């Protein structure tokens, strides 16, 4: 199988603090991982493409200084929401593709962030 | 016009019915087509993957791709209450680094 994990599954933080979310591919290597944001009853919105060993590529309208992405190894990418505000509250999901089948992505279980 | 259009539903069917879910798209460069199932508050789960045109069957699920019409479908036979979820179509093109374009998702409810 292809398993992707995320940690934490839920996090509550105070406004102004930073939150780090981890995404791991457990049984395969992934040079590319993707970070999405999903609002209730809405589809997934791609935020950025995380590339191992290089800078992430952000989608238009996504603040790179607010959503810091680090892809330090072939199995781990992290998303840090800096100086979080209530409007950052959302469901964040990562995905990873096997290197030989990049078009088939496997998703993590998601992280629910609530900023008070 | 969005690149991928999907009727958001909700769609409600009785148990045992055949369900038909559809997406249309505008980008003729799309070559890879996927269907994901997402339960509430969970990450999407890959159901079906098809490359280019044709049909693919896996148990109760059948995926069809008609590139000439820019239309893809997912059929669920003998639907079960456990099939109740949101179904998302997704597609991508070569040289896109694996970036997926998603439909809006169709919310399906299968009533016992």
């Amino acid at each position: 199988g292809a398993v992707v994990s995320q940690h934490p599954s839920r996090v509550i933080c105070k406004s102004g603090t930073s939150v780090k979310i981890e995404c791991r591919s457990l049984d395969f290597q992934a040079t590319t991982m993707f970070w999405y944001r999903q609002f209730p009853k809405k589809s997934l919105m791609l935020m950025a493409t995380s590339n191992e060993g290089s800078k992430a590529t952000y989608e238009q309208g996504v603040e790179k200084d607010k959503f810091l992405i680090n892809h330090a190894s072939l199995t781990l990418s992290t998303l840090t929401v800096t100086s979080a505000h209530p409007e950052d509250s959302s469901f964040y999901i990562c995905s990873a593709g096997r290197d030989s089948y990049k078009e088939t992505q496997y998703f993590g279980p998601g992280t629910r962030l609530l900023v008070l | 016009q969005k690149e991928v259009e999907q009727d958001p539903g909700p769609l409600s069917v009785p148990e045992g019915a055949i369900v038909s879910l559809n997406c249309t798209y505008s980008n003729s460069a799309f070559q890879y087509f996927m269907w994901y199932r997402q339960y509430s508050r969970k990450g999407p789960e890959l159901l079906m993957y098809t490359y280019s045109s044709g049909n693919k069957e896996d148990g109760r699920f059948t995926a069809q791709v008609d590139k000439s019409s820019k239309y893809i479908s997912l059929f669920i036979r003998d639907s079960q209450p456990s099939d109740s979820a949101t179904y998302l179509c997704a597609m991508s093109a070569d040289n896109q680094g694996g970036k997926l374009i998603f439909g809006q998702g169709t919310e399906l409810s299968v009533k016992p």
Side-chain angles (χ1 to χ4, degrees):
Chain A
V3 181
V4 177
S5 71
Q6 271 184 253
H7 178 80
S9 57
R10 298 178 66 180
V11 58
I12 301 173
C13 69
K14 292 183 179 180
S15 187
T17 61
S18 294
V19 174
K20 180 185 283 188
I21 302 170
E22 292 186 349
C23 177
R24 293 181 185 273
S25 56
L26 297 185
D27 52 359
F28 64 100
Q29 293 184 334
T31 55
T32 304
M33 292 184 175
F34 300 88
W35 286 96
Y36 296 84
R37 184 173 178 176
Q38 187 176 35
F39 293 101
K41 294 190 180 294
K42 297 291 184 183
S43 190
L44 285 78
M45 182 190 80
L46 179 64
M47 298 174 65
T49 302
S50 171
N51 304 297
E52 188 267 336
S54 64
K55 290 183 179 180
T57 305
Y58 290 81
E59 295 300 301
Q60 194 172 13
V62 177
E63 299 176 60
K64 59 181 67 176
D65 293 332
K66 179 161 189 64
F67 298 100
L68 300 179
I69 291 172
N70 185 10
H71 195 151
S73 77
L74 288 172
T75 59
L76 173 64
S77 175
T78 60
L79 168 69
T80 301
V81 183
T82 62
S83 186
H85 289 275
E87 56 265 31
D88 298 325
S89 298
S90 191
F91 192 49
Y92 293 88
I93 312 175
C94 71
S95 73
R98 295 177 186 270
D99 282 354
S100 58
Y101 296 96
K102 284 183 178 175
E103 293 72 22
T104 305
Q105 291 184 30
Y106 298 90
F107 284 80
T111 296
R112 191 160 300 279
L113 170 64
L114 177 61
V115 184
L116 302 177
Chain B
Q1 182 187 6
K2 294 181 180 178
E3 273 192 291
V4 179
E5 296 276 3
Q6 183 178 6
D7 187 340
L11 179 63
S12 182
V13 301
E15 182 175 356
I18 296 175
V19 176
S20 173
L21 304 168
N22 312 292
C23 288
T24 59
Y25 62 94
S26 57
N27 187 349
S28 58
F30 286 145
Q31 292 273 38
Y32 307 92
F33 304 92
M34 285 134 281
W35 285 95
Y36 287 88
R37 176 174 63 194
Q38 186 177 25
Y39 292 112
S40 181
R41 298 173 179 264
K42 302 289 185 184
E45 170 194 8
L46 179 65
L47 274 180
M48 302 289 282
Y49 167 73
T50 307
Y51 171 69
S52 194
S53 283
N55 296 353
K56 188 171 186 178
E57 188 174 322
D58 184 2
R60 297 185 294 112
F61 299 91
T62 300
Q64 290 184 350
V65 175
D66 182 348
K67 291 191 69 180
S68 62
S69 302
K70 297 191 180 66
Y71 187 88
I72 70 170
S73 301
L74 176 71
F75 298 96
I76 308 174
R77 291 184 298 280
D78 188 24
S79 56
Q80 303 294 309
S82 58
D83 295 328
S84 299
T86 296
Y87 290 80
L88 297 139
C89 64
M91 44 199 82
S92 67
D94 283 325
N95 302 319
Q96 291 295 308
K99 186 189 292 189
L100 295 180
I101 308 300
F102 281 89
Q104 299 94 310
T106 299
E107 185 179 350
L108 172 67
S109 176
V110 182
K111 304 293 186 183

